């Protein structure tokens, strides 16, 4: 989103109100521009050519001097009244062109990218009456980066290989209502949706096959500039209600917010969806726990990895806060936030659910002189962090990891391994394509991630232009949730996964390609 779209930023690095949550580091509250009774318009052109950039030095194994980019953006905006004193608009359009270029490690591939996706955004403000305001915000930050890849020959020549598309961003909107119901009581209601794409695909996804001859190298053979086809869309729906009530020396603030995060995810290997790996027969003569047929000198492991599902997390919170002006010099802030997080698997069942997490917060500000030239302040509070939706995708979806072993009988004309006799059974121990029962992997009484924070500070105004201050911050992260994988690299290829039961011994299961 262009900076010109914003009116101001409020940055809270600690000690923030109970209206904010689901963070342990800070909050950035962004206010977008709005129209007024005065018509305004403008333009901004930003041009960053590659010929004004310094040339990077080559490093061992990488020719970095070809890494550069061209970046150009033309921003046009206008604002003003649609109906004087009643209805106002702000609109923006930014044309963009971004062209990154770089080489990979080993200098075997050159990448030439291009993106010309534009940004647009608008804000409408309707002053229904002096006491009622309706606001509508919408913008699109869709982006599609198309990258051509070229195979680099020993003489520096380049041969076109593939075009990969990286799609990101999405369309977003929010509708807000503010009502000043009495001189002392007001409310604000908001509903909004945020969409974000994260898609990766290429021109050769249907025709390319992933092949590795691991007897020689771990590099892929053939057209392999895109090793995974991914389609993901994250949809965040948020609603909140906020109230303010002035009661003499008390400003009461209370409210509710709820967000539903949904991820539609689909990933697989390109081509037929299989990855071929050619390996030497180990000295034991056994592969996949099975003796290999006589005369076999190498084997092929085919691997099919897929994950396709819809995953949801629901987060909600209630808060209550009292800003109490105890005296003319002393302000006390007392607040509490009650959080709830609910992560669901690929079938919509809750598998990580954390309720009734109470986050108390207290703060004070003392003006010793009573003229706002000096301030002593402090805060103490607790902050909870939810489990991200990506954990649902990786752990609680219909994940398939099918591995089949064959005798290797050479390559065909397209460098695809020719499969001989199957060795041992098909292995789906890492995922059989169904939504797993994760009760053995996830602690049913899992404690949430939370942090306690303590702040004490002093600030003094020296002149109208200068002030000084000091602030001390102590933060303690009391609990963390770990996603653990145990891997052993020994005499042969081994995949491990672990299952821990509270109060019991850690059990490690191994899937090995040898004895």
């Amino acid at each position: 989103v262009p900076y010109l779209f914003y009116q101001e930023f409020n940055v809270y690095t600690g000690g923030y109100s109970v209206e904010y949550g689901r963070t342990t580091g800070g909050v950035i509250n962004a206010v977008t521009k709005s129209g007024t009774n005065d018509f305004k318009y403008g333009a901004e052109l930003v041009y960053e050519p590659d010929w004004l950039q310094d040339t990077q030095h080559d490093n061992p194994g990488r020719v970095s001097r070809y890494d550069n980019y061209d970046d150009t953006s033309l921003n046009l905006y206008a604002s003003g009244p649609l109906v004087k004193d009643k209805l106002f608009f702000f609109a923006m359009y930014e044309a963009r062109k971004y062209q990154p270029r770089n080489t990979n490690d080993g200098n075997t591939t050159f990448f030439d990218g291009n993106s010309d996706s534009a940004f647009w955004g608008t804000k409408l403000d309707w002053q229904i009456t002096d006491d009622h305001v309706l606001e509508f915000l919408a913008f699109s930050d869709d982006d599609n980066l198309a990258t051509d890849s070229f195979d680099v020959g020993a003489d520096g020549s380049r041969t076109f290989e593939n075009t990969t598309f990286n799609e990101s961003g999405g369309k977003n909107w929010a509708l807000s209502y503010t009502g000043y119901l009495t001189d002392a009581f007001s409310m604000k209601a908001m509903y909004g949706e945020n969409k974000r794409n994260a898609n990766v695909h290429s021109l050769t996804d249907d025709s390319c096959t992933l092949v590795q001859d691991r007897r020689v190298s771990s590099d892929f053979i053939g057209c392999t500039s895109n090793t995974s086809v991914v389609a993901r869309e994250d949809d965040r729906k948020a609603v909140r209600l906020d109230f303010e009530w002035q009661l003499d020396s008390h400003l009461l603030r209370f409210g509710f917010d709820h967000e539903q995060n949904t991820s539609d995810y689909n990933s697989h290997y390109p081509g037929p969806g299989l990855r071929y790996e050619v390996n030497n027969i180990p000295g034991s003569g056994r592969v996949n726990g099975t003796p290999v047929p006589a005369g076999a000198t190498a084997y092929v492991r085919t691997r099919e990895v897929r994950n396709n599902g819809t995953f949801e997390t629901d987060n909600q919170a209630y808060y209550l806060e009292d800003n109490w002006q105890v005296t003319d010099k002393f302000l006390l802030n007392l607040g509490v936030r009650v959080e709830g997080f609910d992560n669901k698997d690929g079938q919509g069942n809750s598998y990580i659910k954390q309720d009734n997490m109470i986050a108390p917060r207290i703060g004070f500000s003392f003006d010793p002189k009573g003229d706002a030239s000096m301030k002593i302040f402090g805060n103490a509070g607790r902050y909870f962090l939810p489990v991200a939706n990506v954990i649902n995708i990786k752990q609680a979806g219909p994940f398939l990891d099918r591995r089949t072993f064959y005798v290797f009988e050479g390559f065909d004309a397209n460098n695809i391994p020719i499969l001989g006799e199957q060795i041992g059974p098909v292995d789906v121990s890492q995922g059989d394509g169904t939504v797993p029962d994760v009760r053995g992997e996830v602690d049913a009484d899992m404690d949430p991630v939370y942090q306690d924070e303590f702040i004490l500070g002093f600030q003094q105004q020296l002149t109208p232009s200068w002030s000084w201050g000091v602030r001390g911050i102590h933060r303690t992260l009391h609990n963390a949730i770990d996603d653990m994988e145990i891997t052993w690299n020994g005499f042969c290829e081994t995949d491990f996964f672990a299952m821990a039961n509270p109060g019991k011994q850690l059990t490690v299961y191994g899937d090995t390609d040898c004895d």
Side-chain angles (χ1 to χ4, degrees):
V1 178
Y3 281 112
L4 286 175
F5 194 63
Y6 294 106
Q7 180 67 34
E8 65 181 45
F9 294 94
N10 301 313
V11 181
Y12 306 97
T13 58
Y16 38 89
S17 166
V18 289
E19 69 177 302
Y20 301 115
R22 307 185 190 105
T23 171
T24 58
V27 172
I28 298 177
N29 188 47
V31 181
T32 59
K33 289 182 178 178
S34 296
T36 65
N37 275 328
D38 298 322
F39 279 105
K40 297 180 180 180
Y41 57 90
E44 180 184 72
L45 174 65
V46 178
Y47 177 42
E48 297 181 64
D50 61 348
W51 50 269
L52 281 177
Q53 300 168 22
D54 194 9
T55 301
Q56 299 189 55
H57 295 288
D58 293 342
N59 297 315
R62 185 182 179 92
V63 181
S64 301
R65 65 179 180 272
Y66 298 120
D67 296 0
N68 55 53
Y69 64 88
D70 284 303
D71 194 3
T72 308
S73 62
L74 175 61
N75 190 298
L76 306 172
Y77 61 92
S79 66
L82 295 173
V83 179
K84 191 174 181 180
D85 297 329
K86 288 291 185 181
L87 184 60
F88 312 94
F89 80 95
F90 176 85
M92 174 177 288
Y93 180 85
E94 184 175 82
R96 298 169 170 173
K97 191 170 185 62
Y98 176 57
Q99 296 175 291
R101 293 170 288 270
N102 64 283
T103 55
N104 69 337
D105 291 336
N107 309 311
T108 58
T109 308
F110 176 75
F111 300 97
D112 188 1
N114 180 69
S115 171
D116 56 6
S117 304
F119 168 90
W120 62 261
T122 187
K123 176 79 182 299
L124 297 175
D125 296 87
W126 181 18
Q127 190 80 37
I128 304 173
T129 69
D130 290 342
D131 297 327
H132 302 277
V133 180
L134 197 63
E135 301 169 80
F136 176 75
L137 167 72
F139 66 90
S140 171
D141 60 349
D142 276 321
D143 184 66
N144 187 349
L145 175 63
T147 304
D148 294 331
S149 56
F150 299 84
D151 183 64
V152 180
D155 59 352
S157 61
R158 298 172 183 172
T159 304
F160 176 77
E161 184 182 66
N162 194 10
T163 301
T164 302
F165 303 93
N166 286 269
E167 300 170 355
S168 61
K171 294 178 174 58
N172 314 271
W173 66 273
L175 183 66
S176 302
Y177 162 77
T178 303
Y180 301 94
L181 306 182
T182 70
D183 291 340
F185 188 72
S186 64
M187 70 165 291
K188 185 171 184 177
M190 187 276 291
Y191 176 83
E193 293 189 16
N194 166 263
K195 293 184 181 294
R196 176 181 177 271
N197 296 312
N199 303 328
V200 181
H201 58 96
S202 78
L203 293 179
T204 61
D205 286 345
D206 293 334
S207 58
C208 276
T209 300
L210 299 182
V211 179
Q212 290 175 296
D213 189 350
R214 303 182 69 170
R215 302 169 302 173
V216 179
S217 170
S218 61
D219 293 338
F220 288 100
I221 303 172
C223 53
T224 56
S225 57
N226 188 37
T227 59
S228 181
V229 183
V230 179
R232 174 174 175 175
E233 181 179 281
D234 296 320
D235 186 5
R236 176 174 180 255
K237 299 178 181 178
V239 60
R240 65 178 298 140
L241 292 171
D242 300 278
F243 300 89
E244 286 192 4
W245 191 8
Q246 185 73 53
L247 293 173
D248 297 328
S249 60
H250 296 267
L251 175 62
L252 297 179
R253 303 178 69 248
F254 54 95
F256 161 82
D257 79 86
H258 178 274
E259 65 176 27
Q260 181 187 71
N261 300 303
T262 304
S263 297
D264 291 316
Y265 185 81
N266 188 334
S267 68
H268 56 86
Y269 290 137
L274 291 178
R275 172 175 172 170
Y276 295 82
E277 300 173 3
V278 182
N279 298 273
N280 287 315
I281 300 294
S284 64
R286 299 173 67 90
V287 172
N288 193 27
T290 304
V292 298
T297 60
Y299 72 95
V300 181
R301 183 179 78 167
T302 65
R303 186 176 185 184
E304 180 183 8
V305 178
R306 295 181 180 272
N307 196 359
N308 182 11
T310 299
F311 307 87
E312 183 181 308
T313 296
D314 292 329
N315 302 321
Q316 67 179 24
Y318 303 87
Y319 74 89
L320 173 63
E321 182 181 64
D322 180 12
N323 290 281
W324 179 18
Q325 193 71 50
V326 182
T327 69
D328 293 340
K329 299 181 179 180
F330 190 80
L331 174 67
L332 185 63
N333 175 275
L334 300 170
V336 63
R337 181 181 176 93
V338 182
E339 300 263 19
F341 308 142
D342 187 3
N343 292 68
K344 300 178 181 180
D345 63 19
Q347 293 179 330
N349 301 315
S350 299
Y351 83 103
I352 298 178
K353 191 170 185 178
Q354 300 163 332
D355 290 324
N356 300 319
M357 294 172 287
I358 299 176
R361 299 178 198 172
I362 182 173
F364 74 91
S365 179
F366 177 52
D367 179 8
K369 295 184 177 181
D371 59 0
S373 64
M374 184 182 298
K375 180 174 70 171
I376 301 171
F377 61 92
N379 296 91
R382 175 164 290 183
Y383 305 86
F384 290 94
L385 196 65
V387 178
N389 237 25
V390 67
I391 301 300
N392 305 15
I393 295 173
K394 291 185 175 182
Q395 186 176 35
F399 180 66
L400 171 66
D401 189 348
R402 180 186 290 121
R403 310 177 191 198
T404 311
F405 300 79
Y406 302 90
V407 173
F408 175 61
E409 295 188 350
F411 291 100
D412 65 14
N414 297 315
N415 281 326
I416 308 299
I418 300 172
L419 306 180
E421 180 182 344
Q422 181 175 328
I423 307 173
V426 176
D427 179 11
V428 291
S429 60
Q430 307 299 314
D432 61 5
T434 62
V435 176
D437 183 353
V438 295
R439 290 177 296 179
E441 302 176 23
V442 179
D443 185 355
D445 299 319
M446 182 184 297
D447 292 327
V449 176
Y450 70 96
Q451 174 180 275
D452 285 338
E453 177 187 73
F454 302 91
I455 298 176
L456 186 62
F458 169 81
Q459 190 172 356
Q460 183 180 19
Q461 190 80 28
L462 299 177
T463 71
S465 302
W466 288 89
S467 65
W468 79 280
V470 60
R471 181 176 63 160
I473 304 175
H474 177 80
R475 294 188 176 111
T476 301
L477 187 68
H478 290 282
N479 191 53
I481 298 174
D482 291 321
D483 179 23
M484 185 191 309
E485 179 182 25
I486 299 175
T487 303
W488 173 70
N489 292 320
F491 298 101
C492 54
E493 181 182 345
T494 308
D495 298 314
F496 282 109
F497 65 95
M499 180 171 66
N501 294 315
K504 297 183 179 181
Q505 181 180 1
L506 176 69
T507 305
V508 179
Y509 301 87
D511 162 35
T512 69
D513 289 347
C514 60
D515 286 331

